[in-house]
Amino acid sequence: MEQDTDLTVDDLRELVATFRDIARRETGKELPDDPREQLRRSVNAVFASWNNPRAGVYRKLNNISDDLGTAVNIQQMVFGNRGETSATGVAFTRNPSTGVKELYGEFLVNAQGEDVVAGIRTPRPLAELESVLPAAYAEFIATMKKLEDHYGDMQDIEFTIEEGKLYLLQTRNGKRTAAAALKVARDLVEEGVISKDEALQRIEPDQLDQLLHPALDPAHGATALTRGLNASPGAAVGRVVFDADTAAACGEAGEAVVLVRWETTPDDIHGVIAAQGVLTSHGGMTSHAAVVARGMGKPCVAGAGELRIDTDAKTATIGDVTLTDQDIITLDGSTGLVFPGALKLQPPQITDDFREVLGWADDVRRLGVRANADTGPDAEKARELGAEGIGLCRTEHMFMAADRLPVVQQMILADNVDERAAALEKLLPMQQSDFEELFTAMTGLPVTIRLIDPPLHEFLPDLVEQSLKVQRLEDAGAGHETELAEARELLGHVKRLSEMNPMLGTRGVRLLMLFPEIAVMQTRAIARAAAAVAAQGLDPHVEIMIPLVAYSEELKRMRAVVADTLAEEATGIDATIGTMIELPRAALTADQIAEHADFYSFGTNDLTQTGVGISRDDAEGSFLNAYIDMGIVPANPFASIDPDGVAELVRIGVSKGRSVKPNLKTGVCGEHGGDPASITIFESIGLNYVSCSPYRVPIARLAAAQAVLGARQKDA
Ligand code: PEP
Ligand code: MG
């Protein structure tokens, strides 16, 4: 017997008895025969489902508040399993993977809804319904259009046909890939169904990330192991894992894994989140794995029927090929193909729909969008994605390269000014060439370069490691004297420079006050780079930024160092000099600081660290997640700005700064600059721009437009 429909009445009786036995065993209670009692229990089960762990995971992922609650609809039952003139199915009014307006759905004759999604029988494509039940099919097609016109959005519909009569069970706005979201939005505007503003509000900014994901290089030439359904686009490479817990553990540890399952269930959600992609041997385009992966923008190949999975043995066989949990595979969720090994992926393609819809967002938004970028290629990428300049170049990142670190160490360990000057002299041309790359990539647009920020000991060996090295050399005895002396000297430096709270120690402007020659070197490199780039006919816009200022006196003095150096260089390049506002004292005294600043950039990472008083390096790995689970904080304040505390400091800083300089340019360059919820707040504060990592630039552009539209709606 292949199908559940082949079961006879006696088989079904037996099955009911089995189910009753299982229920009795698991719950210790009899299943009630009273329909009212059954209904009451069903309703309770729905309410209770709000609190099951996987619902919690889902809400967290989708930023849905835990105290929102849920509702229960009670409907009279219709039956899709009353024989050959009955059927049930699910359909989308457009293709949720691509957004193309075409038939998209599946159905089963003589079945109930659960049978379609549970993957027990393989459903048939919706188009075949026309020949099976033509009248119900025609009515369904007309109804799909009516529903879409009414809601002005792509619908995800569940239907049942009972003895030839069509019933709709539910309709909702369909979940879709980012590519589909853009295409549907653009098409609905062209079809005159919705306005551009409405279309912009339909798109989830975070979803755009998917479009920026890699695809399979078309020239790979590899032969596929097997094919399944192209359930969620994009390509993924990873090691095969057979259960969600392993996927979650490995994925969180940074390993690329592909979750391989017969079919995923809601209990697997943590594994899906952590995996690069999902491969199932069962289920259709509307199966759990497909829907969840699409929502998350992860590649998914579903229903690869040739795949035989043995979860206990941790193997998957396709014909005579056996995959184990030591194998790497490549999935192409756009074609449904599965390949052995790691294929080359190509960078994401930006489509016309993407450009068009983001162009609408640019017409609406008020906030500027810049990128945080430290290298020429990053800056080019950012510009391609629509960045209007660089809001933060962290110069110390340039010090970490292998060829530079020894020179940086020489600078730190110098015993006198001359030695330090010699090291700085070597660093200058390196920095200059970095800045030339940035100014070239961003010609015509502002580039904010921040002078060195982190504590110097970050460039030195770890204290414990260096102590152990000394210990080992001491134990080694004769013959290692020179090495030992050097190691001891370095250990002395490391000890001298190490601090209990380095984040609150000698960093930022404090370090520059102690070693102004670093600021001089960096300013020279900036001025010379700008002059060199200008000499090639390009147009550098230079902004020099001083970090971690708490006192206006710090900025006054450091500004003088920078300004004097610029004057000495006499390159004729204009540069503005501003500061980061990233300490509460700076925000609260922003009126005093503004006297010496041409612009403010809020460093909301440090402002969160110092404003809330939680270590950004430690909290996320320790109590913060527990706090989020316990509902003490609504979200990670390092990801989404704390609206009542840290955002208030930004508001105060802007208002105090502008009380002295009404046109003071203000921006944000902390991680929050790319977070849609934070962007809404920055819009309300009236900042001039946000700055975020290159790949978040499109997200910020859309979120900034939505912030304007949301505010307009509120005012109306
Ligand atoms: C900040 O503190 O928000 C910031 C952008 O600087 P960094 O993250 O480099 O400390
Ligand atoms: Mg900072």
PDB file of all heavy atoms in Angstrom, residues 681-716:
ATOM      1  N   ILE A 681      14.639  55.583  14.450  1.00  0.00           N
ATOM      2  CA  ILE A 681      14.893  56.511  15.559  1.00  0.00           C
ATOM      3  C   ILE A 681      15.824  57.647  15.101  1.00  0.00           C
ATOM      4  O   ILE A 681      15.594  58.816  15.415  1.00  0.00           O
ATOM      5  CB  ILE A 681      15.466  55.732  16.760  1.00  0.00           C
ATOM      6  CG1 ILE A 681      14.392  54.765  17.288  1.00  0.00           C
ATOM      7  CG2 ILE A 681      15.935  56.682  17.859  1.00  0.00           C
ATOM      8  CD1 ILE A 681      14.849  53.852  18.396  1.00  0.00           C
ATOM      9  N   PHE A 682      16.852  57.306  14.321  1.00  0.00           N
ATOM     10  CA  PHE A 682      17.784  58.349  13.852  1.00  0.00           C
ATOM     11  C   PHE A 682      17.071  59.352  12.946  1.00  0.00           C
ATOM     12  O   PHE A 682      17.383  60.532  12.943  1.00  0.00           O
ATOM     13  CB  PHE A 682      18.979  57.719  13.127  1.00  0.00           C
ATOM     14  CG  PHE A 682      19.790  56.798  14.003  1.00  0.00           C
ATOM     15  CD1 PHE A 682      20.363  55.641  13.509  1.00  0.00           C
ATOM     16  CD2 PHE A 682      19.973  57.099  15.355  1.00  0.00           C
ATOM     17  CE1 PHE A 682      21.095  54.789  14.320  1.00  0.00           C
ATOM     18  CE2 PHE A 682      20.715  56.248  16.174  1.00  0.00           C
ATOM     19  CZ  PHE A 682      21.267  55.100  15.660  1.00  0.00           C
ATOM     20  N   GLU A 683      16.102  58.861  12.187  1.00  0.00           N
ATOM     21  CA  GLU A 683      15.301  59.768  11.354  1.00  0.00           C
ATOM     22  C   GLU A 683      14.554  60.750  12.252  1.00  0.00           C
ATOM     23  O   GLU A 683      14.543  61.950  12.006  1.00  0.00           O
ATOM     24  CB  GLU A 683      14.325  58.943  10.495  1.00  0.00           C
ATOM     25  CG  GLU A 683      13.238  59.736   9.778  1.00  0.00           C
ATOM     26  CD  GLU A 683      13.777  60.688   8.723  1.00  0.00           C
ATOM     27  OE1 GLU A 683      14.849  60.414   8.166  1.00  0.00           O
ATOM     28  OE2 GLU A 683      13.120  61.722   8.480  1.00  0.00           O
ATOM     29  N   SER A 684      13.984  60.232  13.346  1.00  0.00           N
ATOM     30  CA  SER A 684      13.199  61.116  14.220  1.00  0.00           C
ATOM     31  C   SER A 684      14.102  62.116  14.943  1.00  0.00           C
ATOM     32  O   SER A 684      13.677  63.208  15.288  1.00  0.00           O
ATOM     33  CB  SER A 684      12.369  60.293  15.211  1.00  0.00           C
ATOM     34  OG  SER A 684      13.212  59.837  16.255  1.00  0.00           O
ATOM     35  N   ILE A 685      15.347  61.738  15.171  1.00  0.00           N
ATOM     36  CA  ILE A 685      16.275  62.653  15.842  1.00  0.00           C
ATOM     37  C   ILE A 685      16.763  63.728  14.866  1.00  0.00           C
ATOM     38  O   ILE A 685      17.178  64.808  15.267  1.00  0.00           O
ATOM     39  CB  ILE A 685      17.468  61.854  16.444  1.00  0.00           C
ATOM     40  CG1 ILE A 685      16.963  60.945  17.568  1.00  0.00           C
ATOM     41  CG2 ILE A 685      18.556  62.789  16.964  1.00  0.00           C
ATOM     42  CD1 ILE A 685      18.033  60.024  18.157  1.00  0.00           C
ATOM     43  N   GLY A 686      16.697  63.426  13.586  1.00  0.00           N
ATOM     44  CA  GLY A 686      17.101  64.424  12.595  1.00  0.00           C
ATOM     45  C   GLY A 686      18.587  64.408  12.269  1.00  0.00           C
ATOM     46  O   GLY A 686      19.157  65.431  11.893  1.00  0.00           O
ATOM     47  N   LEU A 687      19.227  63.238  12.417  1.00  0.00           N
ATOM     48  CA  LEU A 687      20.630  63.123  12.000  1.00  0.00           C
ATOM     49  C   LEU A 687      20.739  63.386  10.492  1.00  0.00           C
ATOM     50  O   LEU A 687      19.750  63.268   9.769  1.00  0.00           O
ATOM     51  CB  LEU A 687      21.154  61.706  12.282  1.00  0.00           C
ATOM     52  CG  LEU A 687      21.290  61.280  13.732  1.00  0.00           C
ATOM     53  CD1 LEU A 687      21.806  59.856  13.794  1.00  0.00           C
ATOM     54  CD2 LEU A 687      22.230  62.203  14.486  1.00  0.00           C
ATOM     55  N   ASN A 688      21.934  63.709  10.030  1.00  0.00           N
ATOM     56  CA  ASN A 688      22.114  63.916   8.597  1.00  0.00           C
ATOM     57  C   ASN A 688      22.347  62.607   7.848  1.00  0.00           C
ATOM     58  O   ASN A 688      21.950  62.475   6.705  1.00  0.00           O
ATOM     59  CB  ASN A 688      23.303  64.842   8.321  1.00  0.00           C
ATOM     60  CG  ASN A 688      23.056  66.219   8.878  1.00  0.00           C
ATOM     61  OD1 ASN A 688      23.410  66.502  10.021  1.00  0.00           O
ATOM     62  ND2 ASN A 688      22.402  67.070   8.110  1.00  0.00           N
ATOM     63  N   TYR A 689      23.038  61.658   8.484  1.00  0.00           N
ATOM     64  CA  TYR A 689      23.320  60.419   7.758  1.00  0.00           C
ATOM     65  C   TYR A 689      23.558  59.262   8.728  1.00  0.00           C
ATOM     66  O   TYR A 689      23.785  59.469   9.923  1.00  0.00           O
ATOM     67  CB  TYR A 689      24.535  60.584   6.832  1.00  0.00           C
ATOM     68  CG  TYR A 689      25.852  60.758   7.568  1.00  0.00           C
ATOM     69  CD1 TYR A 689      26.606  59.652   7.970  1.00  0.00           C
ATOM     70  CD2 TYR A 689      26.333  62.024   7.879  1.00  0.00           C
ATOM     71  CE1 TYR A 689      27.795  59.803   8.661  1.00  0.00           C
ATOM     72  CE2 TYR A 689      27.520  62.195   8.574  1.00  0.00           C
ATOM     73  CZ  TYR A 689      28.245  61.082   8.964  1.00  0.00           C
ATOM     74  OH  TYR A 689      29.411  61.232   9.661  1.00  0.00           O
ATOM     75  N   VAL A 690      23.463  58.057   8.161  1.00  0.00           N
ATOM     76  CA  VAL A 690      23.892  56.858   8.891  1.00  0.00           C
ATOM     77  C   VAL A 690      25.024  56.229   8.084  1.00  0.00           C
ATOM     78  O   VAL A 690      25.103  56.425   6.872  1.00  0.00           O
ATOM     79  CB  VAL A 690      22.747  55.829   9.066  1.00  0.00           C
ATOM     80  CG1 VAL A 690      21.669  56.358   9.975  1.00  0.00           C
ATOM     81  CG2 VAL A 690      22.162  55.416   7.718  1.00  0.00           C
ATOM     82  N   SER A 691      25.881  55.496   8.765  1.00  0.00           N
ATOM     83  CA  SER A 691      26.976  54.822   8.071  1.00  0.00           C
ATOM     84  C   SER A 691      27.030  53.381   8.559  1.00  0.00           C
ATOM     85  O   SER A 691      26.942  53.119   9.766  1.00  0.00           O
ATOM     86  CB  SER A 691      28.297  55.541   8.362  1.00  0.00           C
ATOM     87  OG  SER A 691      29.313  55.009   7.541  1.00  0.00           O
ATOM     88  N   CYS A 692      27.137  52.442   7.618  1.00  0.00           N
ATOM     89  CA  CYS A 692      27.075  51.029   8.001  1.00  0.00           C
ATOM     90  C   CYS A 692      27.989  50.221   7.092  1.00  0.00           C
ATOM     91  O   CYS A 692      28.561  50.759   6.148  1.00  0.00           O
ATOM     92  CB  CYS A 692      25.641  50.532   7.880  1.00  0.00           C
ATOM     93  SG  CYS A 692      24.930  50.824   6.264  1.00  0.00           S
ATOM     94  N   SER A 693      28.084  48.913   7.337  1.00  0.00           N
ATOM     95  CA  SER A 693      28.985  48.097   6.524  1.00  0.00           C
ATOM     96  C   SER A 693      28.462  48.081   5.082  1.00  0.00           C
ATOM     97  O   SER A 693      27.262  48.208   4.852  1.00  0.00           O
ATOM     98  CB  SER A 693      29.087  46.690   7.090  1.00  0.00           C
ATOM     99  OG  SER A 693      27.867  46.045   6.891  1.00  0.00           O
ATOM    100  N   PRO A 694      29.346  47.917   4.095  1.00  0.00           N
ATOM    101  CA  PRO A 694      28.942  48.039   2.694  1.00  0.00           C
ATOM    102  C   PRO A 694      27.695  47.223   2.337  1.00  0.00           C
ATOM    103  O   PRO A 694      26.804  47.713   1.666  1.00  0.00           O
ATOM    104  CB  PRO A 694      30.169  47.555   1.929  1.00  0.00           C
ATOM    105  CG  PRO A 694      31.310  47.904   2.812  1.00  0.00           C
ATOM    106  CD  PRO A 694      30.809  47.713   4.219  1.00  0.00           C
ATOM    107  N   TYR A 695      27.641  45.961   2.821  1.00  0.00           N
ATOM    108  CA  TYR A 695      26.515  45.115   2.422  1.00  0.00           C
ATOM    109  C   TYR A 695      25.199  45.538   3.066  1.00  0.00           C
ATOM    110  O   TYR A 695      24.144  45.065   2.677  1.00  0.00           O
ATOM    111  CB  TYR A 695      26.808  43.640   2.711  1.00  0.00           C
ATOM    112  CG  TYR A 695      27.687  43.053   1.651  1.00  0.00           C
ATOM    113  CD1 TYR A 695      29.051  42.925   1.846  1.00  0.00           C
ATOM    114  CD2 TYR A 695      27.149  42.681   0.427  1.00  0.00           C
ATOM    115  CE1 TYR A 695      29.866  42.419   0.850  1.00  0.00           C
ATOM    116  CE2 TYR A 695      27.956  42.166  -0.572  1.00  0.00           C
ATOM    117  CZ  TYR A 695      29.311  42.044  -0.359  1.00  0.00           C
ATOM    118  OH  TYR A 695      30.102  41.553  -1.355  1.00  0.00           O
ATOM    119  N   ARG A 696      25.246  46.390   4.074  1.00  0.00           N
ATOM    120  CA  ARG A 696      23.995  46.850   4.672  1.00  0.00           C
ATOM    121  C   ARG A 696      23.517  48.167   4.051  1.00  0.00           C
ATOM    122  O   ARG A 696      22.437  48.653   4.389  1.00  0.00           O
ATOM    123  CB  ARG A 696      24.139  46.972   6.196  1.00  0.00           C
ATOM    124  CG  ARG A 696      24.338  45.611   6.854  1.00  0.00           C
ATOM    125  CD  ARG A 696      24.007  45.613   8.328  1.00  0.00           C
ATOM    126  NE  ARG A 696      22.603  45.678   8.639  1.00  0.00           N
ATOM    127  CZ  ARG A 696      21.779  44.641   8.621  1.00  0.00           C
ATOM    128  NH1 ARG A 696      22.205  43.459   8.293  1.00  0.00           N
ATOM    129  NH2 ARG A 696      20.511  44.804   8.937  1.00  0.00           N
ATOM    130  N   VAL A 697      24.300  48.721   3.143  1.00  0.00           N
ATOM    131  CA  VAL A 697      23.915  50.015   2.555  1.00  0.00           C
ATOM    132  C   VAL A 697      22.520  49.974   1.914  1.00  0.00           C
ATOM    133  O   VAL A 697      21.688  50.835   2.197  1.00  0.00           O
ATOM    134  CB  VAL A 697      25.007  50.515   1.567  1.00  0.00           C
ATOM    135  CG1 VAL A 697      24.495  51.624   0.678  1.00  0.00           C
ATOM    136  CG2 VAL A 697      26.224  50.989   2.358  1.00  0.00           C
ATOM    137  N   PRO A 698      22.205  48.944   1.074  1.00  0.00           N
ATOM    138  CA  PRO A 698      20.861  48.921   0.497  1.00  0.00           C
ATOM    139  C   PRO A 698      19.773  48.819   1.562  1.00  0.00           C
ATOM    140  O   PRO A 698      18.704  49.435   1.435  1.00  0.00           O
ATOM    141  CB  PRO A 698      20.866  47.662  -0.375  1.00  0.00           C
ATOM    142  CG  PRO A 698      22.304  47.353  -0.630  1.00  0.00           C
ATOM    143  CD  PRO A 698      23.046  47.831   0.576  1.00  0.00           C
ATOM    144  N   ILE A 699      20.060  48.063   2.618  1.00  0.00           N
ATOM    145  CA  ILE A 699      19.091  47.914   3.712  1.00  0.00           C
ATOM    146  C   ILE A 699      18.840  49.275   4.348  1.00  0.00           C
ATOM    147  O   ILE A 699      17.706  49.670   4.612  1.00  0.00           O
ATOM    148  CB  ILE A 699      19.641  46.909   4.747  1.00  0.00           C
ATOM    149  CG1 ILE A 699      19.769  45.537   4.085  1.00  0.00           C
ATOM    150  CG2 ILE A 699      18.793  46.857   6.007  1.00  0.00           C
ATOM    151  CD1 ILE A 699      20.549  44.519   4.879  1.00  0.00           C
ATOM    152  N   ALA A 700      19.930  50.014   4.585  1.00  0.00           N
ATOM    153  CA  ALA A 700      19.796  51.328   5.212  1.00  0.00           C
ATOM    154  C   ALA A 700      19.052  52.297   4.289  1.00  0.00           C
ATOM    155  O   ALA A 700      18.240  53.106   4.749  1.00  0.00           O
ATOM    156  CB  ALA A 700      21.178  51.876   5.556  1.00  0.00           C
ATOM    157  N   ARG A 701      19.285  52.192   2.974  1.00  0.00           N
ATOM    158  CA  ARG A 701      18.591  53.094   2.046  1.00  0.00           C
ATOM    159  C   ARG A 701      17.085  52.870   2.123  1.00  0.00           C
ATOM    160  O   ARG A 701      16.301  53.816   2.191  1.00  0.00           O
ATOM    161  CB  ARG A 701      19.076  52.847   0.609  1.00  0.00           C
ATOM    162  CG  ARG A 701      20.480  53.380   0.355  1.00  0.00           C
ATOM    163  CD  ARG A 701      21.090  52.767  -0.893  1.00  0.00           C
ATOM    164  NE  ARG A 701      20.455  53.181  -2.124  1.00  0.00           N
ATOM    165  CZ  ARG A 701      20.600  52.545  -3.300  1.00  0.00           C
ATOM    166  NH1 ARG A 701      21.374  51.454  -3.371  1.00  0.00           N
ATOM    167  NH2 ARG A 701      19.995  52.969  -4.375  1.00  0.00           N
ATOM    168  N   LEU A 702      16.698  51.599   2.107  1.00  0.00           N
ATOM    169  CA  LEU A 702      15.264  51.299   2.160  1.00  0.00           C
ATOM    170  C   LEU A 702      14.688  51.659   3.526  1.00  0.00           C
ATOM    171  O   LEU A 702      13.610  52.264   3.625  1.00  0.00           O
ATOM    172  CB  LEU A 702      15.050  49.808   1.855  1.00  0.00           C
ATOM    173  CG  LEU A 702      13.610  49.316   1.920  1.00  0.00           C
ATOM    174  CD1 LEU A 702      12.726  50.088   0.951  1.00  0.00           C
ATOM    175  CD2 LEU A 702      13.534  47.826   1.583  1.00  0.00           C
ATOM    176  N   ALA A 703      15.411  51.303   4.583  1.00  0.00           N
ATOM    177  CA  ALA A 703      14.903  51.588   5.935  1.00  0.00           C
ATOM    178  C   ALA A 703      14.753  53.096   6.141  1.00  0.00           C
ATOM    179  O   ALA A 703      13.804  53.556   6.791  1.00  0.00           O
ATOM    180  CB  ALA A 703      15.843  50.993   6.983  1.00  0.00           C
ATOM    181  N   ALA A 704      15.664  53.874   5.583  1.00  0.00           N
ATOM    182  CA  ALA A 704      15.582  55.330   5.735  1.00  0.00           C
ATOM    183  C   ALA A 704      14.337  55.868   5.027  1.00  0.00           C
ATOM    184  O   ALA A 704      13.668  56.786   5.523  1.00  0.00           O
ATOM    185  CB  ALA A 704      16.843  55.986   5.190  1.00  0.00           C
ATOM    186  N   ALA A 705      14.007  55.280   3.863  1.00  0.00           N
ATOM    187  CA  ALA A 705      12.785  55.700   3.160  1.00  0.00           C
ATOM    188  C   ALA A 705      11.556  55.302   3.967  1.00  0.00           C
ATOM    189  O   ALA A 705      10.613  56.093   4.136  1.00  0.00           O
ATOM    190  CB  ALA A 705      12.738  55.055   1.779  1.00  0.00           C
ATOM    191  N   GLN A 706      11.578  54.079   4.511  1.00  0.00           N
ATOM    192  CA  GLN A 706      10.430  53.628   5.307  1.00  0.00           C
ATOM    193  C   GLN A 706      10.247  54.489   6.549  1.00  0.00           C
ATOM    194  O   GLN A 706       9.125  54.726   6.996  1.00  0.00           O
ATOM    195  CB  GLN A 706      10.607  52.158   5.704  1.00  0.00           C
ATOM    196  CG  GLN A 706      10.492  51.237   4.501  1.00  0.00           C
ATOM    197  CD  GLN A 706      10.608  49.763   4.871  1.00  0.00           C
ATOM    198  OE1 GLN A 706      11.051  49.416   5.962  1.00  0.00           O
ATOM    199  NE2 GLN A 706      10.214  48.894   3.952  1.00  0.00           N
ATOM    200  N   ALA A 707      11.361  54.963   7.103  1.00  0.00           N
ATOM    201  CA  ALA A 707      11.270  55.815   8.296  1.00  0.00           C
ATOM    202  C   ALA A 707      10.531  57.107   7.956  1.00  0.00           C
ATOM    203  O   ALA A 707       9.683  57.574   8.722  1.00  0.00           O
ATOM    204  CB  ALA A 707      12.665  56.118   8.834  1.00  0.00           C
ATOM    205  N   VAL A 708      10.805  57.665   6.777  1.00  0.00           N
ATOM    206  CA  VAL A 708      10.110  58.893   6.354  1.00  0.00           C
ATOM    207  C   VAL A 708       8.624  58.596   6.154  1.00  0.00           C
ATOM    208  O   VAL A 708       7.753  59.322   6.638  1.00  0.00           O
ATOM    209  CB  VAL A 708      10.734  59.437   5.042  1.00  0.00           C
ATOM    210  CG1 VAL A 708       9.879  60.525   4.437  1.00  0.00           C
ATOM    211  CG2 VAL A 708      12.144  59.941   5.304  1.00  0.00           C
ATOM    212  N   LEU A 709       8.340  57.493   5.459  1.00  0.00           N
ATOM    213  CA  LEU A 709       6.945  57.156   5.165  1.00  0.00           C
ATOM    214  C   LEU A 709       6.176  56.858   6.448  1.00  0.00           C
ATOM    215  O   LEU A 709       5.029  57.277   6.613  1.00  0.00           O
ATOM    216  CB  LEU A 709       6.884  55.955   4.210  1.00  0.00           C
ATOM    217  CG  LEU A 709       7.483  56.213   2.812  1.00  0.00           C
ATOM    218  CD1 LEU A 709       7.587  54.907   2.024  1.00  0.00           C
ATOM    219  CD2 LEU A 709       6.654  57.235   2.041  1.00  0.00           C
ATOM    220  N   GLY A 710       6.828  56.160   7.370  1.00  0.00           N
ATOM    221  CA  GLY A 710       6.189  55.841   8.650  1.00  0.00           C
ATOM    222  C   GLY A 710       5.873  57.114   9.425  1.00  0.00           C
ATOM    223  O   GLY A 710       4.780  57.258   9.998  1.00  0.00           O
ATOM    224  N   ALA A 711       6.815  58.062   9.432  1.00  0.00           N
ATOM    225  CA  ALA A 711       6.602  59.310  10.163  1.00  0.00           C
ATOM    226  C   ALA A 711       5.461  60.100   9.528  1.00  0.00           C
ATOM    227  O   ALA A 711       4.617  60.673  10.224  1.00  0.00           O
ATOM    228  CB  ALA A 711       7.884  60.135  10.166  1.00  0.00           C
ATOM    229  N   ARG A 712       5.400  60.092   8.194  1.00  0.00           N
ATOM    230  CA  ARG A 712       4.309  60.811   7.499  1.00  0.00           C
ATOM    231  C   ARG A 712       2.960  60.229   7.892  1.00  0.00           C
ATOM    232  O   ARG A 712       2.006  60.950   8.142  1.00  0.00           O
ATOM    233  CB  ARG A 712       4.475  60.649   5.989  1.00  0.00           C
ATOM    234  CG  ARG A 712       5.145  61.843   5.365  1.00  0.00           C
ATOM    235  CD  ARG A 712       5.057  61.694   3.851  1.00  0.00           C
ATOM    236  NE  ARG A 712       6.317  62.093   3.276  1.00  0.00           N
ATOM    237  CZ  ARG A 712       6.779  61.657   2.105  1.00  0.00           C
ATOM    238  NH1 ARG A 712       6.094  60.791   1.383  1.00  0.00           N
ATOM    239  NH2 ARG A 712       7.937  62.081   1.661  1.00  0.00           N
ATOM    240  N   GLN A 713       2.918  58.886   7.939  1.00  0.00           N
ATOM    241  CA  GLN A 713       1.646  58.228   8.286  1.00  0.00           C
ATOM    242  C   GLN A 713       1.215  58.590   9.692  1.00  0.00           C
ATOM    243  O   GLN A 713       0.043  58.806   9.961  1.00  0.00           O
ATOM    244  CB  GLN A 713       1.801  56.717   8.179  1.00  0.00           C
ATOM    245  CG  GLN A 713       1.270  56.199   6.876  1.00  0.00           C
ATOM    246  CD  GLN A 713       1.690  54.763   6.623  1.00  0.00           C
ATOM    247  OE1 GLN A 713       2.338  54.130   7.455  1.00  0.00           O
ATOM    248  NE2 GLN A 713       1.333  54.258   5.482  1.00  0.00           N
ATOM    249  N   LYS A 714       2.188  58.673  10.585  1.00  0.00           N
ATOM    250  CA  LYS A 714       1.893  59.010  11.982  1.00  0.00           C
ATOM    251  C   LYS A 714       1.322  60.424  12.077  1.00  0.00           C
ATOM    252  O   LYS A 714       0.398  60.682  12.827  1.00  0.00           O
ATOM    253  CB  LYS A 714       3.192  58.936  12.790  1.00  0.00           C
ATOM    254  CG  LYS A 714       3.138  57.905  13.886  1.00  0.00           C
ATOM    255  CD  LYS A 714       4.246  58.159  14.859  1.00  0.00           C
ATOM    256  CE  LYS A 714       4.728  56.879  15.497  1.00  0.00           C
ATOM    257  NZ  LYS A 714       6.108  57.023  15.922  1.00  0.00           N
ATOM    258  N   ASP A 715       1.923  61.337  11.306  1.00  0.00           N
ATOM    259  CA  ASP A 715       1.482  62.730  11.346  1.00  0.00           C
ATOM    260  C   ASP A 715       0.097  62.907  10.738  1.00  0.00           C
ATOM    261  O   ASP A 715      -0.632  63.824  11.099  1.00  0.00           O
ATOM    262  CB  ASP A 715       2.470  63.626  10.576  1.00  0.00           C
ATOM    263  CG  ASP A 715       3.813  63.685  11.303  1.00  0.00           C
ATOM    264  OD1 ASP A 715       3.836  63.289  12.487  1.00  0.00           O
ATOM    265  OD2 ASP A 715       4.814  64.097  10.684  1.00  0.00           O
ATOM    266  N   ALA A 716      -0.223  62.031   9.772  1.00  0.00           N
ATOM    267  CA  ALA A 716      -1.484  62.226   9.028  1.00  0.00           C
ATOM    268  C   ALA A 716      -2.707  61.975   9.908  1.00  0.00           C
ATOM    269  O   ALA A 716      -2.656  61.280  10.879  1.00  0.00           O
ATOM    270  CB  ALA A 716      -1.507  61.313   7.826  1.00  0.00           C
TER     271      ALA A 716
END
